[in-house]
Amino acid sequence: MINCKKIGLVILTVFLFVSKVSAQTLKDAEAEFEKMSYLNAAEMYEHALKGKVSEADKQAAKLKLAYAYRQIKDSQNAERVYKEIVDNPSFSGDSKAYLYYAQALATNGKYKESQEVYEKYAKLAATDKRSSSFQKLYKNIETLNKNRACYKVEYLNLNTDKADFSPTYYKNGFVFNSGRTESVGLKRVYSWDNSNFLDLYYLSDISKLTASQPSGVGGSTANKERKFKAPAVVGDDEYTPSTPNDSRTIGSYGSTGMYKGYATYNETPVTQSEVFSKTLNTKYHEGPVTFSSDGRKIVFTRNNYNSGSFKTSADRVNKLKLYTAEDKKGDGQWSTVKEVPFNNNEYSTGHPSLTKDDKLMYFVSDMPGGFGGTDVYVVEYNNGNFGTPVNLGPEINTEGNEMFPFVDEKGNLYFASDGHAGLGGLDIFFVELQDGKAKGKIKNLGAPINTSQDDFGLITDGERRQGYLSSNRKRGGADDDIYRFTRECDEKPECRELQVIVFDAESKLPLDNADVEVSTEGKTEMKKTDSNGTFKICLDEDKSYLLKASREGYLPNTVGYSAKDAKIEQSTLDIPLQPVKEVEGDSLSARINPSGNPNPALPCKVTTLRGRVTSNKDKQPIAGVLVTLRNECDGTIQQVVTGADGRYQFDICQGCDYNLEAAKENFGSKSNKIKKVGDNPPKYINSNLSMFEEGDVITIDNIYYDYGRYNIRPDAARELEKLVSLMKRYPKMRIDLRSHTDSRSSTEFNQKLSENRSKSVVSYLRKRGIASTRLESSGFGETQLLNECADGVECTEEQHQTNRRTEFKVIQMQ
């Protein structure tokens, strides 16, 4: 949802707030929380929780207290309270608590801890794609520091102790948002005291800007500093995004550093700026804005207020809208203020950015049908007329917030996001566009453009040589300021960086000085792990790699990796090595070479085992699957990760059975047994793997029944043992056993028979140790025949038996 101050999308409600914190009970705190007066609510909750409160009420209150701290961007206290919540043994496991805890840790620079909490969140919210990308980034956060030395970021003398952000080029200067003037009117939704509204300001000459080093940005400063008390007003940080689950906001305002109490700023002469337009500025929020190429038309963000009319949504929230105006004479006198046609009282629109040719406009909205909190949309713009907005899709938009789009002179897009993996808070991202769609991979601009705080509102030239951005990094959240950046060297070439980690498979400790042979397309390179058991390589995104790791005292391991279809700029690859074990009656250790020969001293006739991993649902190949081949003779393994074609390949020797398994998050699969080959093995053995996910229906091979009966036949029991193994392999999997009959006998008899058959399978599985809570049963009678053998059709016994079957539907995987 978009909020007026950090998304340039500010939101108002018709609520009026209490002027003093005097709550003694949770009820009073609840009232403030419901009014979204989060600063007031936090203080009240803290006070109330010191009294006598039941355990149930305490947990519920702490969840709201932590959320209130999150909303006012007090990441230190949010981390503290969320930790208390998730560490409580009685905590029920609300997934959002883990997500917000992980985000608070990242904002506080605790990336390793954040990674661990994201792992727990992933188990509770398997459909949320954010967790995986953040986990991978936080394993190797240094990847976002590779171009740090190339950029110079300067704090500007334009800034005040109020919010200043989101500049937009206009003539020889820029227009920006600021809360620097006192305002009157309604109090903001996040406030329990008066606060300033945003207006548009104009700096007519960019050349007047000079750099000033503030305390907290880095380096020393000779400027005299003084302290001021941060206003006790939630929303003083004018552009912090909201949670995607806040139904009343789009983006969210909230101070990002209230826990500090005091902040410092330099008494540097402020570059003079002027009110941009008394016609456009009102007593409510205005901005951000965008201009047509000739500077005669403007599209700007404002609260739902025009021509003296103030409107709210059904839930009494004043949303944001986009408006247009014209400077007909070119004298800076703006008139003819109109709403864009896709505005709506029930959701917000804002953050416009026109392309150089004025044909497309990008903007942000929390309109229904999006992917998360706020999404980026594009709409055709033709001489003042707008088309129908189109969501930029899941490549750009996430379950989080995407906002502050800017299109450079080449038509490429910059935007801020807290849903793509970043350093914390909002990070700024870049993606090449073609015809309004993402052409390449989304790139995090990294440090120093991005920090662990909120970074957003970037504008720049087509080469990203110089530009401006907004950030609350100065005081960790007390307000937002405008920074200038300059790129002083060429960025390092684009690289899909892979961090390889070699470790002891049993102790999980890293292994230094391990030799790793990296091969691709006939080229081989030798690498050696450092003291942390790691090394890094730069991958070609169109190639697949084979990595063979070895170290004295360990069995070698071969792992494949495909860089195709990678959606993030860095990743990690784990290579576990099994310690050598003594063979009974032999002083030598059992060893295996990368080809899979259980005894390299003996000749080995190599056979290539190959296959493809596909989806049970649509038979399409699956990328990113870890395929493991285990030698049943000595337990050694080989592994490979599938590429976009889903294919894998291993070399095996005759003389041993093998077990083949596939693993991928949120998927399951049956294992394949590869029987030992004889003295004259074929050149190739094919063995495909099928993977299933929640909602899939899988037929159990050969679970047939005698006519009119529902007892488990011996041949069925053998197959059900495979299902028992599968259920034990995936201990959280829940299934629905579904039985079917042929068409003979009456419909009522067949329905009852099928129900009994499914119940008999459930009973068998329960006796084999599978918990009843993981099993459901359904009967479908003769309603889902697999062939034409309906009533009145002559069929063989074999054809009828095909319909007498049992399947299972996957209800839950994780």
Side-chain angles (χ1 to χ4, degrees):
M1 294 132 271
I2 301 177
N3 236 8
C4 245
K5 268 187 168 181
K6 199 157 220 169
I7 184 177
L9 308 178
V10 183
I11 298 182
L12 300 175
T13 65
V14 296
F15 297 126
L16 295 179
F17 303 133
V18 183
S19 62
K20 285 188 176 182
V21 179
S22 58
Q24 300 295 318
T25 67
L26 287 179
K27 183 178 180 181
D28 296 319
E30 293 279 349
E32 293 302 297
F33 186 89
E34 288 303 311
K35 291 187 295 187
M36 293 188 289
S37 180
Y38 293 118
L39 179 61
N40 200 4
E43 294 188 28
M44 289 180 170
Y45 276 123
E46 291 281 18
H47 184 87
L49 285 169
K50 293 177 181 179
K52 292 183 178 180
V53 182
S54 70
E55 186 60 31
D57 287 344
K58 183 181 294 184
Q59 279 290 84
K62 282 190 174 182
L63 280 169
K64 291 185 177 180
L65 170 61
Y67 183 78
Y69 279 131
R70 168 184 164 80
Q71 289 299 83
I72 64 175
K73 288 300 181 177
D74 183 344
S75 59
Q76 298 284 351
N77 275 317
E79 175 192 334
R80 169 180 61 83
V81 181
Y82 277 123
K83 185 178 190 308
E84 293 175 2
I85 291 169
V86 302
D87 286 350
N88 190 323
S90 65
F91 179 54
S92 60
D94 179 6
S95 63
K96 282 295 186 291
Y98 286 98
L99 173 63
Y100 299 156
Y101 183 25
Q103 291 174 337
L105 286 165
T107 300
N108 296 333
K110 299 179 180 179
Y111 298 115
K112 182 65 170 67
E113 294 90 334
S114 179
Q115 173 203 335
E116 293 171 353
V117 177
Y118 268 119
E119 289 178 359
K120 296 177 181 178
Y121 172 67
K123 295 177 181 178
L124 297 171
T127 59
D128 191 333
K129 300 176 183 178
R130 287 175 290 181
S131 181
S132 176
S133 60
F134 277 92
Q135 286 183 62
K136 290 178 180 178
L137 174 62
Y138 292 164
K139 285 183 179 179
N140 186 21
I141 196 70
E142 286 303 310
T143 187
L144 295 184
N145 283 322
K146 62 184 179 182
N147 290 307
R148 177 184 289 275
C150 277
Y151 285 91
K152 179 181 181 182
V153 178
E154 301 170 291
Y155 177 84
L156 300 174
N157 62 341
L158 171 78
N159 295 306
T160 65
D161 62 333
K162 302 298 182 182
D164 302 291
F165 60 89
S166 205
T168 303
Y169 292 121
Y170 177 66
K171 296 183 178 179
N172 295 321
F174 59 57
V175 173
F176 62 99
N177 293 67
S178 182
R180 61 185 61 194
T181 56
E182 296 298 325
S183 293
V184 295
L186 295 178
K187 297 177 182 179
R188 283 206 303 266
V189 61
Y190 291 91
S191 174
W192 57 270
D193 196 358
N194 289 324
S195 59
N196 296 337
F197 285 79
L198 299 172
D199 280 328
L200 298 175
Y201 281 78
Y202 177 41
L203 176 69
S204 60
D205 187 356
I206 291 180
S207 65
K208 293 180 180 180
L209 289 172
T210 60
S212 172
Q213 181 65 54
S215 175
V217 176
S220 61
T221 174
N223 293 326
K224 179 181 178 182
E225 296 182 351
R226 65 183 175 87
K227 291 188 174 184
F228 73 96
K229 193 170 189 331
V233 176
V234 179
D236 196 55
D237 171 32
E238 307 298 350
Y239 260 58
T240 300
S242 75
T243 157
N245 302 302
D246 186 344
S247 62
R248 294 181 179 177
T249 64
I250 52 178
S252 130
Y253 282 47
S255 174
T256 62
M258 301 304 292
Y259 64 92
K260 293 187 175 180
Y262 288 85
T264 60
Y265 69 91
N266 297 81
E267 292 185 335
T268 305
V270 176
T271 297
Q272 293 301 308
S273 58
E274 59 188 88
V275 172
F276 175 64
S277 169
K278 293 183 178 179
T279 303
L280 300 184
N281 284 334
T282 67
K283 60 182 178 180
Y284 300 112
H285 292 287
E286 279 76 36
V289 306
T290 188
F291 295 94
S292 59
S293 56
D294 62 3
R296 302 287 288 271
K297 294 178 181 178
I298 185 175
V299 185
F300 64 98
T301 311
R302 180 195 285 167
N303 283 110
N304 189 351
Y305 176 80
N306 197 28
S307 300
S309 177
F310 177 90
K311 299 178 181 179
T312 64
S313 60
D315 57 352
R316 301 172 64 202
V317 175
N318 180 263
K319 303 286 187 177
L320 297 171
K321 288 189 173 183
L322 286 171
Y323 300 84
T324 62
E326 296 182 56
D327 179 5
K328 296 180 179 179
K329 298 181 180 179
D331 58 359
Q333 300 301 310
W334 298 93
S335 60
T336 320
V337 176
K338 299 179 181 178
E339 287 191 34
V340 300
F342 48 85
N343 280 340
N344 193 295
N345 290 342
E346 299 304 316
Y347 57 78
S348 291
T349 55
H351 294 186
S353 180
L354 283 165
T355 55
K356 186 178 180 181
D357 59 8
D358 295 338
K359 292 184 178 180
L360 296 173
M361 185 180 79
Y362 294 83
F363 69 97
V364 172
S365 179
D366 63 343
M367 67 176 67
F371 294 91
T374 53
D375 284 3
V376 180
Y377 289 78
V378 63
V379 62
E380 291 186 355
Y381 182 69
N382 183 16
N383 195 29
N385 297 314
F386 290 96
T388 301
V390 176
N391 189 296
L392 290 191
E395 292 298 311
I396 289 177
N397 294 312
T398 69
E399 294 91 335
N401 294 296
E402 281 67 50
M403 52 187 79
F404 296 103
F406 168 74
V407 188
D408 67 17
E409 60 201 48
K410 293 184 176 181
N412 296 319
L413 177 69
Y414 293 85
F415 64 97
S417 172
D418 63 7
H420 291 281
L423 292 170
L426 291 173
D427 272 22
I428 300 171
F429 294 81
F430 168 81
V431 63
E432 292 185 24
L433 296 180
Q434 186 173 358
D435 299 325
K437 296 181 179 179
K439 178 182 177 182
K441 293 184 178 64
I442 295 170
K443 176 183 178 182
N444 186 310
L445 294 187
I449 299 297
N450 290 319
T451 66
S452 64
Q453 302 297 319
D454 287 328
D455 307 289
F456 58 97
L458 178 144
I459 58 174
T460 186
D461 58 85
E463 301 297 329
R464 206 185 311 131
R465 288 288 176 184
Q466 182 174 302
Y468 301 86
L469 62 90
S470 309
S471 178
N472 65 351
R473 67 186 67 182
K474 175 181 172 183
R475 293 188 288 273
D479 65 3
D480 298 304
D481 296 304
I482 297 174
Y483 293 78
R484 178 172 59 203
F485 71 87
T486 307
R487 182 160 63 86
E488 300 178 324
C489 63
D490 291 334
E491 292 185 338
K492 294 180 181 179
E494 288 300 309
C495 169
R496 169 96 167 114
E497 189 175 71
L498 178 71
Q499 178 175 254
V500 180
I501 306 173
V502 182
F503 60 93
D504 186 303
E506 295 182 357
S507 69
K508 309 302 181 185
L509 294 175
L511 297 175
D512 61 353
N513 292 315
D515 294 311
V516 183
E517 182 182 287
V518 183
S519 303
T520 179
E521 296 185 358
K523 298 180 180 179
T524 300
E525 181 182 7
M526 293 303 301
K527 294 286 186 178
K528 190 177 288 289
T529 58
D530 59 19
S531 59
N532 296 315
T534 68
F535 67 88
K536 298 175 183 178
I537 55 176
C538 191
L539 303 178
D540 187 318
E541 65 180 27
D542 295 323
K543 295 180 180 178
S544 295
Y545 294 79
L546 194 67
L547 297 93
K548 300 179 180 180
S550 60
R551 189 178 188 272
E552 185 177 356
Y554 290 84
L555 301 175
N557 192 8
T558 301
V559 177
Y561 188 87
S562 174
K564 296 178 181 179
D565 294 337
K567 290 182 172 58
I568 57 175
E569 294 173 21
Q570 62 82 39
S571 187
T572 60
L573 178 65
D574 294 339
I575 306 182
L577 296 185
Q578 288 284 348
V580 169
K581 297 179 180 179
E582 296 295 325
V583 177
E584 185 176 353
D586 192 344
S587 61
L588 296 178
S589 297
R591 299 178 182 275
I592 187 170
N593 63 20
S595 68
N597 184 359
N599 192 340
L602 300 176
C604 171
K605 293 182 179 180
V606 175
T607 293
T608 298
L609 173 66
R610 63 186 183 182
R612 198 179 192 195
V613 183
T614 58
S615 166
N616 174 78
K617 184 181 300 182
D618 55 17
K619 310 307 178 187
Q620 293 300 306
I622 306 177
V625 177
L626 177 65
V627 182
T628 301
L629 182 71
R630 181 179 298 276
N631 187 322
E632 297 297 335
C633 289
D634 58 13
T636 55
I637 63 173
Q638 299 179 67
Q639 292 180 314
V640 67
V641 179
T642 60
D645 58 2
R647 297 190 182 278
Y648 63 88
Q649 181 173 303
F650 298 105
D651 287 340
I652 62 174
C653 290
Q654 81 275 28
C656 284
D657 292 338
Y658 289 85
N659 188 61
L660 187 67
E661 295 182 347
K664 183 178 174 68
E665 188 176 14
N666 301 324
F667 282 86
S669 75
K670 303 176 185 178
S671 59
N672 284 2
K673 293 290 185 182
I674 311 299
K675 295 297 184 181
K676 65 180 69 174
V677 295
D679 293 335
N680 296 305
K683 185 175 181 181
Y684 298 105
I685 295 177
N686 293 313
S687 182
N688 295 324
L689 291 166
S690 177
M691 303 200 78
F692 55 83
E693 54 187 323
E694 287 184 10
D696 282 4
V697 177
I698 298 98
T699 299
I700 304 173
D701 295 336
N702 303 318
I703 301 296
Y704 297 121
Y705 301 87
D706 294 327
Y707 173 65
R709 299 179 67 84
Y710 55 84
N711 61 295
I712 302 297
R713 293 180 356 187
D715 59 348
R718 287 193 294 272
E719 292 303 319
L720 286 179
E721 283 303 308
K722 297 178 182 179
L723 182 55
V724 171
S725 297
L726 192 67
M727 295 295 286
K728 290 181 178 179
R729 182 180 173 191
Y730 300 104
K732 293 185 179 180
M733 186 170 72
R734 295 177 56 241
I735 61 174
D736 177 19
L737 277 304
R738 303 149 61 95
S739 290
H740 306 262
T741 69
D742 59 33
S743 62
R744 295 177 292 183
S745 297
S746 68
T747 300
E748 294 78 9
F749 176 83
N750 285 335
Q751 178 62 36
K752 185 65 176 178
L753 180 63
S754 66
E755 292 173 1
N756 286 333
R757 285 176 173 174
S758 62
K759 289 177 181 178
S760 70
V761 176
V762 169
S763 177
Y764 182 91
L765 296 177
R766 288 179 61 188
K767 291 177 181 178
R768 296 291 290 114
I770 307 302
S772 59
T773 55
R774 301 175 60 196
L775 305 170
E776 295 183 13
S777 63
S778 300
F780 292 89
E782 59 182 84
T783 61
Q784 296 184 10
L785 301 177
L786 295 178
N787 51 34
E788 303 299 321
C789 298
D791 291 340
V793 178
E794 286 192 16
C795 291
T796 65
E797 176 62 25
E798 183 179 1
Q799 288 173 314
H800 281 302
Q801 181 167 279
T802 300
N803 293 317
R804 300 195 299 269
R805 68 197 188 278
T806 295
E807 309 162 329
F808 69 87
K809 180 178 181 179
V810 182
I811 302 173
Q812 174 183 313
M813 276 301 301
Q814 299 293 331

